[in-house]
Amino acid sequence: MNKLAVAILTALAAASAVAASDGRDDLTEEDRARVAKVTAPTRDFSAPESFETLPAGAGTTRKMINADIFSHPSANLTFEGRQEFLVGNGLFRKDWVSSPSSTQASDGLGPLFNARSCQACHTKDGRGTVPGFDPLERSDTVALLLRLSVPATTDEQRQQLASGHLPFVPEPVYGVQLQNFSVAGLPSEGSLEIEYEPVTVQLNGGETATLMKPTYRIENLGYGPMRKDVQISPRIAQPMIGLGLLEAIHPADILANAAADHGDGISGRPNWTRDRRTGERVLGRFNWKASQPTVEQQSAAAFSNDMGLSTPLFPSHYGECTKAQSACFDMPHGAQPHLGEHEVPAELMDFVTTYSVNLAVPQRRDVDDARVLAGKKLFYEANCVACHVPKYVTRRDAAREEHRFQLIWPYTDMLLHDMGEGLADQVSEDEASGSEWRTPPLWGIGLTRTVNPNATWLHDGRARSLLEAVLWHGGEAQAARDRVVAMTPEERADLIRFLESL
């Protein structure tokens, strides 16, 4: 093993030891020793590690691999939990309709919206689908959302940004997100158009790869012009598996990743965001810029922004309508007094949250295959593990019993990293800059197209293959990306085999 790989493993081991010894207030001394041992990075790539086939610990699903593999409940969920999971599944899949409607428990959609159901974006609980790379075969934009923001222009806005009460300044007419659908009698906000420019990358060994560089524009604006300095950020829907386990990672483990020296100028940092339930500034964990602290809040934000439905955390019945869109507030909403004051009452939100935190991660495949093991070694030697940290033990005092004290293998540090100008969108969100993105978990990535044959990768779905996704890495990941470019064709194939086994 080369000197760089040794330094990488040393840094990972140090981060694991610091988290276990200093920050894990949920562990006994005996627990700390066990956790430090099992989370220490491997130095042996001749055979699989213990429990590597169970990326979600006891919650790992062993169901048959097919298009529904991301839709099973955690294997260690109780009978009562499974019943709640099934109710949540129904709510996650159901189509909402506009008001008034004879189906009073399902109305309230809009007035402006991107999708009629959660499942419309998270295809079979996996990745969303971009409209398409061929201009002649484009579909409507549903799973690819467009975040909108503008620079702060007033002292009040700057103070709100500094205090964390405002993650970014919304576009004054169109708000935080472009809604390309609307209820009858109301214009939609506009449509997203994409053009792709092929970019050729030369690889060692005489190979080439073609990347698709996107350019975005907004057309058919329904409420007048946007501010000329509007900043836009396309975001594709992410996989739903393992979210509860990510929420159960102890903050000390995440902060230890930020404190470690991983080499290559890598300096991941946390995003601190506002918890709408407590009002406190807390560690962000979810969405592309780690600006949501919990699965519940992420889900409630999606109900509000994507479907225009009110919840206890986002109580407006008019979703993302702005003051400039006065006709929105003349539309009927779906809150029913006998069902509660919100269109998605607290009880239904609890069911959706239970479902969302307990979608199981599938069992690993081919862990003892020689080529997969070779690819794993290359993954470590290229320093991919500096950001895609392989494993954790979840906290003993996690909110849900099924998530407690589990050895998990998500391959993420849960931190923000500057990924370079090639992936930058210039939209800041809480403490995340326009070029920073949260390291996405890699578990289940090899089954992406088993679940959704049209799925692609990266925050806006521009990467049509795992290799393309790697080649788009820049900024802090530039050195690791360049090592992949310098690999032989056989080595790159082994690296992809390893990723496909996750």
Side-chain angles (χ1 to χ4, degrees):
M1 185 173 296
N2 60 42
K3 291 182 179 179
L4 173 64
V6 172
I8 292 166
L9 296 179
T10 301
L12 284 174
S16 172
V18 168
S21 62
D22 294 344
R24 292 295 299 267
D25 54 7
D26 60 315
L27 302 179
T28 66
E29 289 299 327
E30 181 182 358
D31 284 342
R32 289 189 181 99
R34 291 175 61 194
V35 169
K37 182 178 180 180
V38 300
T39 57
T42 185
R43 295 173 184 266
D44 179 7
F45 300 97
S46 64
E49 297 174 68
S50 298
F51 309 112
E52 197 171 1
T53 59
L54 302 175
T60 304
T61 182
R62 297 175 174 83
K63 296 290 187 179
M64 181 182 297
I65 301 297
N66 57 28
D68 295 318
I69 191 57
F70 285 175
S71 299
H72 299 292
S74 299
N76 60 344
L77 201 56
T78 64
F79 176 80
E80 292 78 10
R82 286 173 180 265
Q83 300 309 302
E84 295 176 7
F85 178 92
L86 290 173
V87 176
N89 183 20
L91 293 168
F92 196 85
R93 293 172 180 271
K94 84 166 180 174
D95 287 333
W96 294 80
V97 297
S98 59
S99 301
S101 169
S102 59
T103 57
Q104 292 185 352
S106 296
D107 65 346
L109 179 71
L112 301 170
F113 60 96
N114 294 100
R116 294 179 178 272
S117 69
C118 306
Q119 191 78 195
C121 291
H122 300 277
T123 305
K124 287 186 173 292
D125 304 299
R127 275 176 171 76
T129 307
V130 296
F133 293 90
D134 186 339
L136 300 178
E137 297 181 0
R138 294 278 169 84
S139 61
D140 288 335
T141 303
V142 175
L144 185 65
L145 307 176
L146 197 64
R147 192 62 52 84
L148 307 173
S149 74
V150 294
T153 56
T154 67
D155 288 340
E156 180 184 4
Q157 288 174 343
R158 284 186 276 270
Q159 290 171 1
Q160 287 182 311
L161 290 172
S163 66
H165 286 90
L166 193 65
F168 55 87
V169 180
E171 206 285 331
V173 173
Y174 291 87
V176 305
Q177 188 168 298
L178 183 76
Q179 274 94 18
N180 50 335
F181 298 106
S182 60
V183 299
L186 194 70
S188 64
E189 290 189 324
S191 58
L192 172 63
E193 299 296 328
I194 314 173
E195 294 180 359
Y196 291 97
E197 174 190 354
V199 177
T200 300
V201 178
Q202 299 293 330
L203 306 173
N204 183 38
E207 294 186 338
T208 61
T210 301
L211 308 184
M212 303 297 284
K213 180 181 179 181
T215 301
Y216 300 95
R217 68 179 187 275
I218 302 171
E219 296 188 347
N220 305 312
L221 289 172
Y223 297 87
M226 289 185 176
R227 259 177 56 173
K228 292 183 179 180
D229 57 354
V230 65
Q231 300 159 325
I232 64 175
S233 176
R235 311 273 180 90
I236 197 76
Q238 294 180 288
M240 298 290 295
I241 58 172
L243 297 184
L245 292 167
L246 296 177
E247 191 168 290
I249 296 174
H250 199 285
D253 288 347
I254 298 173
L255 298 178
N257 289 332
D261 180 5
H262 294 295
D264 287 339
I266 292 171
S267 55
R269 64 191 189 97
N271 196 1
W272 298 96
T273 188
R274 186 72 59 179
D275 188 322
R276 295 180 73 97
R277 184 171 290 282
T278 66
E280 297 178 355
R281 292 278 282 173
V282 296
L283 185 65
R285 295 172 185 258
F286 301 105
N287 81 21
W288 284 104
K289 293 200 182 247
S291 62
Q292 294 292 357
T294 65
V295 177
E296 178 193 34
Q297 186 164 312
Q298 171 75 11
S299 301
F303 272 121
S304 178
N305 294 339
D306 302 351
M307 291 180 280
L309 296 164
S310 58
T311 66
L313 290 183
F314 293 83
S316 173
H317 301 319
Y318 303 97
E320 229 261 288
C321 292
T322 69
K323 292 179 181 179
Q325 299 166 326
S326 57
C328 270
F329 299 96
D330 296 329
M331 294 293 171
H333 61 72
Q336 309 293 333
H338 64 288
L339 296 175
E341 59 181 310
H342 305 108
E343 291 161 321
V344 185
E347 182 181 13
L348 298 190
M349 270 306 307
D350 288 345
F351 285 127
V352 171
T353 302
T354 296
Y355 176 75
S356 300
V357 299
N358 279 306
L359 282 160
V361 180
Q363 187 174 11
R364 277 279 307 277
R365 303 153 313 285
D366 302 324
V367 294
D368 57 353
D369 180 87
R371 301 271 58 85
V372 168
L373 289 167
K376 178 181 176 181
K377 185 172 184 287
L378 291 164
F379 187 82
Y380 276 67
E381 290 179 343
N383 206 11
C384 301
V385 289
C387 302
H388 293 283
V389 175
K391 50 189 170 176
Y392 302 84
V393 172
T394 59
R395 52 194 307 163
R396 270 209 182 273
D397 57 355
R400 295 172 185 261
E401 184 177 358
E402 63 270 17
H403 302 148
R404 294 174 187 163
F405 210 55
Q406 298 296 316
L407 174 61
I408 63 172
W409 305 69
Y411 286 89
T412 175
D413 60 4
M414 303 289 284
L415 297 172
L416 300 171
H417 292 274
D418 186 334
M419 296 299 291
E421 285 302 309
L423 293 178
D425 61 5
Q426 306 311 323
V427 173
S428 299
E429 195 162 348
D430 286 308
E431 297 186 12
S433 74
S435 60
E436 288 181 314
W437 301 95
R438 182 199 71 152
T439 305
L442 297 183
W443 52 12
I445 197 168
L447 296 172
T448 298
R449 285 197 169 145
T450 300
V451 173
N452 178 4
N454 296 314
T456 50
W457 291 271
L458 295 181
H459 68 277
D460 56 1
R462 68 176 70 184
R464 299 165 298 172
S465 69
L466 292 178
L467 180 59
E468 284 186 32
V470 171
L471 296 176
W472 272 110
H473 284 48
E476 295 176 39
Q478 184 71 41
R481 175 259 188 204
D482 291 346
R483 292 186 189 105
V484 175
V485 170
M487 290 177 183
T488 67
E490 293 77 15
E491 288 172 332
R492 279 193 296 272
D494 288 346
L495 178 67
I496 299 302
R497 285 189 185 99
F498 166 67
L499 294 174
E500 290 174 344
S501 76
L502 296 177

